[in-house]
């Protein structure tokens, strides 16, 4: 017996995606559910595969099966393909197991020819409708199947409209459409040298060929390469009876959501248009009506719709987005799929479905897209107002949320104006640590350079401040205090709006909406905390950040960067004094000034994170970051510190580096200047001691950055232990010493480091930079092109490059835990807040992830989802 | 029976180093050979280990054994420790299995006290000698064993000399030395609160304790940590009868080499002094005589020495460096060890020993220190003249050899003056590719910044030009055309001398000696080529470099950097045109100008390396390297290219990168601008085609740089294959495409890349930078301190960091060869010319190494040594 190459909708179900494609499997599923789906059949992906292996020939018996299924369909519909009295019309669509752009789109109205169009006219009693449908068919078929560009058809229509003096298509009468049809056929003849096929079976064959061929179109191949889609057989072909929503006043078409996709309210939501086709709803010429009105207009259809939506939602256990068409009073369902929704809706639907008993708590967690939660935590631009706003440039969506304010071009100015009560947007080529105060004072930050993990981006996310980074379209002239973009000039104090969630830059003011956290959000978070296995920590450098994170449920601090504490007024002065000092004594004197300030910081942080681990990283950035860059600032610093400008310039020049990322930073600072490590260890440990005296339970974990060789770690650990010894503190009881794993060599030699270290924490920003060999601040130039070309599926600075950097992590874990079975291993790179990365961290067995405060909910939910998914297996 | 803790010299041999220490084992070996070694015994390293495990107590029975051996010694010598008539005097020395500074030095003359000193006086008939020996003992023992600083003893002697009005020690009479002895004992009392030990056995015990304790001195522990010396038991203690070369005119002491250590001539070579001790030879107050004169002066001793040296050399099968003492006509041998020698001597000795039948060819290869061969290939500063020269600064010995010339401060000026016939030394802050012509024109290169693999260093080594890099002591003021160093100013045209082998910078002119390559060198190289398994390729960018390397025996080119070809006059103009072009057409137009030049280069190189593989790397450096930096140059370029300065500045600013090493370079260029790859592939393949037509057999291997992800490789390979297809060339037959492995991610995913690539080549410079996370140009700031602190045993840019970077290499080989068993894997980083690294490459199974032309002999010999060592196992 020949293989089955063709299935009627009745023969399939949603689990047959590999054979029937996603679209076909879903049509079959709905048919099985008893929904009024226009009947049809599916040619399998296997047929497509054989088509190719046979050198583009149909496999033996395939077309016989098509004819058989077509016959069945004709019988069922009481109509016949090409019949001059009762013509059957069908649509033909491609559909692989995975949705894939680049393949053939839709051909509608197949089966029409010069005879059957008359049949359609007779049957519908609407000649105009019939010829309109016919010309649509010729256009689509000519374009999609025969390769004639759409514009040639358009020209025929335009010329007729001009001759007749028509402005709108609606003005064309049946006769006009007839002429258009003739003109269209001439176009086909002219551009292909072939007559437009009159025989419906030939039309069908040609359409099937076109679908099969489109599987290997350039775009489809590229798409599969880019998304590393392999193992698919080919595309299936869906042949389905046409239904028409534009057959008069008892016809219509619409879209509905089983719950409100904006709010999540459990109430049918949707729009429809009477006497219209799907395209008309999309085109937006007529304004669709709210679905509630259908109840009055077509109560029977509405009731049926009600029943269907309840059934479908219950069946799929999720809010559905459905398309329907009513043809002369009869309801048809053309599609159902998971409905897109806002974060707010997502959370509400999940919680309410649990209450309704439709799903379990654990299932509910999987219904929410973790990344979306950002919407709930940040101010958003008013969506209606934004639609009218003028987007002048697009950068990277570096820190989510909407921000409005007056443009300023220096951190000082931002600070100044903010003090006066102004709302400002800080615009910089790039930011540096000395801009921190100004960044804090700003509503939003816009930079022309730098990527998703540039300084501006990282700091902004930490603060929860919206940020658009690496917006290279804007040309900033800092001395002139302005930037230009697309011919417009934005001067200081001009209003500017940023959408940090999309990367859009808008001139003028767009109103901003505050986030509202519902009780449902709390419920979901509670469920997530119950379900997850990973610890969720936060990256926080200040008591304020720590508090924010704690409010969102952070279970400790996974990364406290001490250097950010060095940038404020008095501190940076002391820091600079240390850098300029030529002697050990000089450095110690300067450090002694910083110590009490650091201690106070740590005390405050320990108190916020009482009885929770606090991982404090020792000084990390290259020292030149603490020195000014501009002449005026150098002059000011010289005066303030009573040294010559030349001395400062010489120091700056001495500290100049070709590749600062790979330069004199991290533990190299503490190894060259042990007094820095001593001071920091002392500040941390004394803070802990004092907190303990006050009744708190600080858990101090000291982290050595940029270790590549175990000896770097042990040398720094020895210093910490010596300080601790002098304070009577015991490692493993009063404090812990661990290391960042951010240098590939450290990952590779984890079995040497593990015996010495109390914990590891992956610094995946730097690990990515060094493993892949690109600087996060420079990668913007090519990383976009790389992602586009499919080298990396996602920006590896946003989502862990699992096939590369991830392998280093796995190797490190394997080597480290071979030595210490329960070694505490976390991650504190920016990836700790990326849903896919969090799930990856769960799978490879990390102990915890740490992310910026505002991403704690996302990380929590992602961790829970990973746990639920794991158990499902 | 108790364990044997003490061995007489007669009981040991040279293979017992672990028990007896190196020194003791060697003394035993010589004793066994029947050489006149002053008798003695050795306390084992095991005893030391037990001493520590017992809480610093002697193991049971140890001292009994010492006393027993002492008794035997006394009997043999007919003298007794502390005997007032015939006192035995001994030396006590430490000696572990590995030579290790930081442990206790020597105590001589042990056994002297107020009584036995008289015995010595009587026995020798020389009271002055006896008390001189006594005071030397008190001083040494007081210092080394009892911890009294030498300066306190010195003060007593100085004060006596002042009182007496003496200038020299020789003026002191016996009575004076007696007073000094008394004074010295007071010093000990004063500084230790204890009396100087009078009892010889107590002296011996204290000395043994001191040796044992010194095993765990701070310095010794640090030394072991730094050199990762583990697994040693402890130190042995050598107790040996004293002999004296200063007992009158029939006594003497000397040093001899069994062959001439400068030339290698097979003739006894050495110096001696009559009536003197070893210290006197070293002090240089008297001028030693040539060993030949001993024949006349003491013919019997000389004859004995002749016999001994022949015996010892035959026994050790190597040229020996021996110390001897003649005590009243009787010859004693105190030490023999492998003699240090020049490269020339090394080669000659090895070849002649084979001719003499003393060693085999393969053994001969192990006698030569590969790294030393550099001496034979480069001009050297005249050693005598250099001694008097004024070394004003020391930088890194970046490219070996001596160079003299007039200082110039720009590459243009160097070029200009060289054309006029001047010899110049180019002095720069750092060099960049645009300095190439000027570098070529210079005798030597001196830079203030950059490490051993900085641009200047790499290029200079390639050219064989001496270079001192990273000499931060010199302060260059380029605009003023001068530099200052230690108060001196060097202006343009002042003479300057560089020693690139040591990193020394000398003011003025030092004569330079040309290298001479002897026939012996050729013989050794021939043997080495027979013995080695690794292929030896060269890094060469020009036909000239390729020829140099071929002359030294290079078997092909492992790295031809195409970018260096872009820097000359017309080419850089075309290159800049390409960079400035805004359109694809513009770029293609500029590239079309470069193509024929590149093709001509490749043809010339293929011809030099006929029938040998030539690996050509596609464009690698960031584009900004091709643009000028200085205002004047920018202006000149603007004029020349007829564009505005602003346009150039904008391009420079656009191309600015934070970390260019991790920036827009390598295959990222070819991925963003495929037309560059196309042009280069075309030039290479057409060159090969044309060469083939002319009867040559080019083996063209195209190398894609900076690949981190297999897709980067395949995308570039596709371009090459397309070009090749259009030229009718077949991969695997007419050309090959492979990749650098220099990004850690590439090493980690070698199993994904291997199926696609025809060969791998480790770029260990970049692999080290990225694996360890330090930029080679910036690491100077801390890498010295790191090596000193023992983090890395050697500069990882000079010698492969085997425990880190080496593991990446091994992982890569394992993953790559798992897929392709015979995958051709080489190395083309600077490490390819480092002996230890070459041996490592042999051990991990690389196919070949590639190094700069002048290091080909070193790599060849190292590879041969690795092969010989492997077979020995």
């Amino acid at each position: 017996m020949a293989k089955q190459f063709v299935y009627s909708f009745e023969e399939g179900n949603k689990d047959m995606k590999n054979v029937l494609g996603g679209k076909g499997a879903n049509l079959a599923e709905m048919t099985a559910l008893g929904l009024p789906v226009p009947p049809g059949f599916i040619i399998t992906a296997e047929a497509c595969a054989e088509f190719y292996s046979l050198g583009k020939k149909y496999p033996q018996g395939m077309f016989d099966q098509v004819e058989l299924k077509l016959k069945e369909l004709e019988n069922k519909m009481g109509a016949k393909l090409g019949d001059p009295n009762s013509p059957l019309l069908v649509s033909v669509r491609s559909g692989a197991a995975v949705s894939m752009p680049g393949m053939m789109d839709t051909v509608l109205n197949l089966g029409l020819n010069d005879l059957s169009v008359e049949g359609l006219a007779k049957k519908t009693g609407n000649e105009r409708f019939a010829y309109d449908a016919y010309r649509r068919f010729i256009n689509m078929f000519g374009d999609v199947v025969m390769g004639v560009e759409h514009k040639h058809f358009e020209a025929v229509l335009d010329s007729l409209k001009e001759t007749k003096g028509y402005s709108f298509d609606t003005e064309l009468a049946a006769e006009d459409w007839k002429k258009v049809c003739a003109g269209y056929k001439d176009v086909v003849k002219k551009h292909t040298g072939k007559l437009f096929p009159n025989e419906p079976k030939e039309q069908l064959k040609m359409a099937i060929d076109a679908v099969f061929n489109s599987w290997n179109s350039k775009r489809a191949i590229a798409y599969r390469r880019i998304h590393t889609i392999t193992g698919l057989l080919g595309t299936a072909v869906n042949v389905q009876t046409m239904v028409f929503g534009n057959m008069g006043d008892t016809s219509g078409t619409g879209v509905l959501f089983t719950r409100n996709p904006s709010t999540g309210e459990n109430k049918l939501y949707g729009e429809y248009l009477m006497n219209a086709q799907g395209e008309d709803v999309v085109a937006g010429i007529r304004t669709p009506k709210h679905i509630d009105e259908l109840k009055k207009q077509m109560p029977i259809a509405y009731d049926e719709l009600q029943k269907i939506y309840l059934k479908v939602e219950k069946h799929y256990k999720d809010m559905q987005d459905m398309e329907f068409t009513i043809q002369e009073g009869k309801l048809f369902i053309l599609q159902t799929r998971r409905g897109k929704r806002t974060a707010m809706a997502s959370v509400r639907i999940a919680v309410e479905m649990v209450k309704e008993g439709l799903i379990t708590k654990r299932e509910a967690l999987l219904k929410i897209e973790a990344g979306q939660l950002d919407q709930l935590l940040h101010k958003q631009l008013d969506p209606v107002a934004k639609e009218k706003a003028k987007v002048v440039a697009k950068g990277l969506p570096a820190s989510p949320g909407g921000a409005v304010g007056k443009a300023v071009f220096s951190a000082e100015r931002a600070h100044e104006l903010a003090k006066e009560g102004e709302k400002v947007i800080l615009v910089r080529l790039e930011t540096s640590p000395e801009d921190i105060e100004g960044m804090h004072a700003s509503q939003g930050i816009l930079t022309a350079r730098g990527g998703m993990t540039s300084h501006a981006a990282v700091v902004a996310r930490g603060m929860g401040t919206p940020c658009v980074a690496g917006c290279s379209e804007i040309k900033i002239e800092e001395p002139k205090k302005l930037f230009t973009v697309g011919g417009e000039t934005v001067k200081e104090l001009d209003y500017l709006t940023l959408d940090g969630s999309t990367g859009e830059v808008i001139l003028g003011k767009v109103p901003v909406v505050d986030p509202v956290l519902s009780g449902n959000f709390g419920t979901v978070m509670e469920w997530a905390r119950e379900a997850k296995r990973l610890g969720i920590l936060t990256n926080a450098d200040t008591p304020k950040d720590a508090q924010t994170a704690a409010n969102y449920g952070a279970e400790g601090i996974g990364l406290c960067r001490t250097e950010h504490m060095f940038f404020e007024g008095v501190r940076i002065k002391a820091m600079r004094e240390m850098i300029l000092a030529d002697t050990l004594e000089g450095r110690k004197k300067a450090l002694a000034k910083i110590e009490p300030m650091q201690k106070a910081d740590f005390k405050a942080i320990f108190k916020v994170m009482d009885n929770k681990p606090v991982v404090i990283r020792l000084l990390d950035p290259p020292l030149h970051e603490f020195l000014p860059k501009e002449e005026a600032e150098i002059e000011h610093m010289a005066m303030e510190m009573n040294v010559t400008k030349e001395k400062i310039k010489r120091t700056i020049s001495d500290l100049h580096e070709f590749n600062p990322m790979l330069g004199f930073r991290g533990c190299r600072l503490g190894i060259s200047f042990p007094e820095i490590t001593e001071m920091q260890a002392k500040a941390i440990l004394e803070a802990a001691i004092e907190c303990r005296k006050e009744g708190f339970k600080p858990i101090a974990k000291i982290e050595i950055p940029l270790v590549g060789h175990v000896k770097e770690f042990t040398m720094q650990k020895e210093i910490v232990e010596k300080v601790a010894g002098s304070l009577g503190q015991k490692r493993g009881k009063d404090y812990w010493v661990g290391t960042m794993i951010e240098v590939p060599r450290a990952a590779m030699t984890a079995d040497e480091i593990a015996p010495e270290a109390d914990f590891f924490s992956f610094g995946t920003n730097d690990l990515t930079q060094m493993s892949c060999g690109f600087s996060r601040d420079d990668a913007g130039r090519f990383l976009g092109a790389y992602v586009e070309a499919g080298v990396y599926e996602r920006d590896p600075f946003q989502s862990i490059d699992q096939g590369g950097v991830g392998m280093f992590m796995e190797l490190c874990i394997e080597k480290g835990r071979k030595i210490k079975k329960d070694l505490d291993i976390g991650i504190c790179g920016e990836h700790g807040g990326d849903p896919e990365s969090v799930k990856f961290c769960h799978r490879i067995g990390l102990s915890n992830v740490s992310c910026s405060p505002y991403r704690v909910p996302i990380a929590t939910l992602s961790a829970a989802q990973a746990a639920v998914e794991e158990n499902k297996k």
Side-chain angles (χ1 to χ4, degrees), chain A residues 390-436:
Chain A
K390 182 164 184 188
V391 175
V392 289
K394 207 168 166 195
L396 297 168
S399 178
V404 187
K406 292 177 174 173
V408 294
F409 294 84
S410 78
E412 293 72 41
R413 193 80 177 115
H415 191 55
E416 250 170 59
L417 287 172
K419 262 202 244 164
E420 294 167 18
E422 291 281 7
K423 300 201 162 184
V424 299
I425 301 281
L426 178 60
V427 184
R428 301 278 290 160
L429 270 174
E430 69 229 13
T431 64
S432 69
E434 50 187 313
D435 295 333
I436 291 272

Side-chain angles (χ1 to χ4, degrees), chain A residues 348-363:
Chain A
R348 177 168 174 180
I349 290 169
V351 171
E352 292 188 352
M353 281 189 169
V354 172
K355 284 190 195 152
E356 294 159 20
L358 205 57
I359 54 176
T360 66
K361 287 178 190 176
R362 292 172 70 86
E363 281 169 341

Side-chain angles (χ1 to χ4, degrees), chain A residues 39 45 73 118 409 460 527 620 627 707 717 795-796 843:
Chain A
L73 186 62
E118 288 296 332
F409 294 84
W527 294 347
D620 184 55
L627 296 178
V707 164
K717 190 177 73 166
D795 179 342
R843 289 197 299 272

Side-chain angles (χ1 to χ4, degrees), chain A residues 336-397:
Chain A
T336 187
R337 59 183 171 191
R338 183 181 180 280
K340 287 213 170 76
R341 63 206 81 177
T342 64
M344 197 207 277
S346 185
V347 167
R348 177 168 174 180
I349 290 169
V351 171
E352 292 188 352
M353 281 189 169
V354 172
K355 284 190 195 152
E356 294 159 20
L358 205 57
I359 54 176
T360 66
K361 287 178 190 176
R362 292 172 70 86
E363 281 169 341
L365 293 172
L366 297 182
K367 303 286 178 196
I368 304 164
E369 223 178 280
Q372 260 197 330
L373 294 186
D374 249 349
Q375 287 178 16
L376 301 180
L377 310 174
H378 300 280
K379 292 183 177 189
Q380 300 292 326
L381 297 183
D382 179 78
V384 178
K386 193 187 148 186
E387 246 171 54
K388 290 169 215 139
K390 182 164 184 188
V391 175
V392 289
K394 207 168 166 195
L396 297 168

